[in-house]
Amino acid sequence: EPEVTQTPSHQVTQMGQEVILRCVPISNHLYFYWYRQILGQKVEFLVSFYNNEISEKSEIFDDQFSVERPDGSNFTLKIRSTKLEDSAMYFCASSEVVWAASYEQYFGPGTRLTVT
Amino acid sequence: RKEVEQDPGPFNVPEGATVAFNCTYSNSASQSFFWYRQDCRKEPKLLMSVYSSGNEDGRFTAQLNRASQYISLLIRDSKLSDSATYLCVVNGGSNYKLTFGKGTLLTVNP
């Protein structure tokens, strides 16, 4: 069964450093997403991406964040200058389309980001 | 009112019990509804989409009431492996963004 993969599984970084989280969405999916989950809290939407541009972003997704599809398979989330409050689990997701039953989003295993 | 609100739980039930999860959502423009399950420190996994007519998948039954903006999930004959956090998820009127409830923790005991 195809699945979303993410690397690394755990990233530790110092405050102020840049991090890049990587994802490989399911191969025939066209829509890509990033979510985050701070420990003990709910999953929160960050950004969606389609056709090489951002479709929608949340208030959390400020100028410190960017996304990119650098090649035909990878989808990345960059945090330019990490803050302590960026510590969270970051999930990548993908979906085939955004309408009808195929809207279902499938999540990767996540990257645990720890900012010290 | 929270966008997606669930029973706070936790629920502790014996094996074989029937357990029901309830959820309400605030955005009447929401079009897509889902139940996901999340094991501790793992990713959300899609359990089932919820359709207007209600739908069933083995021991799992989901219902949607658009007028009341209410979604439910029923698990019959619960198994130890059903122990997880159950997440109510809606698309909140956006085509792209999923909005999650905080989840309800279920523990099934032998």
Side-chain angles (χ1 to χ4, degrees):
Chain A
E1 186 178 311
E3 56 185 23
V4 178
T5 59
Q6 290 186 242
T7 54
S9 56
H10 191 192
Q11 173 95 45
V12 181
T13 189
Q14 288 191 322
M15 201 165 51
Q17 296 297 304
E18 174 183 286
V19 294
I20 298 176
L21 311 183
R22 291 184 166 80
C23 167
V24 178
I26 294 171
S27 62
N28 65 330
H29 284 187
L30 302 176
Y31 295 83
F32 315 119
Y33 313 85
W34 285 100
Y35 292 80
R36 79 170 187 191
Q37 186 175 31
I38 295 170
L39 191 63
Q41 298 188 23
K42 63 181 183 178
V43 177
E44 300 174 289
F45 170 79
L46 291 177
V47 67
S48 61
F49 191 86
Y50 169 69
N51 200 26
N52 279 318
E53 59 183 33
I54 290 174
S55 315
E56 186 170 351
K57 59 183 180 178
S58 71
E59 316 78 58
I60 303 167
F61 194 89
D62 61 22
D63 293 342
Q64 293 301 311
F65 292 88
S66 62
V67 289
E68 194 180 28
R69 185 139 162 95
D71 54 44
S73 58
N74 289 284
F75 178 50
T76 62
L77 174 69
K78 183 194 288 188
I79 309 175
R80 264 180 271 282
S81 177
T82 50
K83 306 182 186 71
L84 293 175
E85 55 265 36
D86 293 328
S87 294
M89 184 74 104
Y90 288 81
F91 294 110
C92 175
S94 67
S95 67
E96 201 172 345
V97 292
V98 291
W99 48 271
S102 299
Y103 174 65
E104 294 160 352
Q105 294 186 20
Y106 295 89
F107 285 72
T111 293
R112 179 164 299 283
L113 177 65
T114 303
V115 182
T116 61
Chain B
R1 183 178 172 186
K2 289 180 189 167
E3 288 185 270
V4 179
E5 200 150 4
Q6 297 186 239
D7 294 326
F11 293 170
N12 280 279
V13 302
E15 267 186 293
T18 295
V19 59
F21 300 90
N22 302 304
C23 170
T24 55
Y25 60 94
S26 61
N27 190 335
S28 58
S30 299
Q31 293 295 319
S32 301
F33 309 91
F34 310 92
W35 284 100
Y36 281 74
R37 66 171 278 169
Q38 186 175 31
D39 294 293
C40 190
R41 294 183 168 245
K42 301 281 190 184
E43 76 271 26
K45 287 195 170 161
L46 180 66
L47 186 62
M48 56 198 304
S49 302
V50 187
Y51 304 120
S52 296
S53 52
N55 46 303
E56 190 173 305
D57 182 4
R59 299 181 293 109
F60 299 85
T61 301
Q63 297 281 345
L64 168 65
N65 184 322
R66 285 184 186 269
S68 306
Q69 294 178 204
Y70 168 82
I71 310 162
S72 66
L73 174 70
L74 189 75
I75 304 177
R76 288 181 300 278
D77 188 23
S78 50
K79 314 285 185 199
L80 295 177
S81 56
D82 294 333
S83 296
T85 297
Y86 287 81
L87 306 173
C88 178
V89 183
V90 305
N91 80 331
S94 156
N95 276 339
Y96 307 105
K97 164 188 165 182
L98 292 182
T99 301
F100 285 74
K102 202 166 179 195
T104 304
L105 176 63
L106 171 68
T107 302
V108 181
N109 302 301

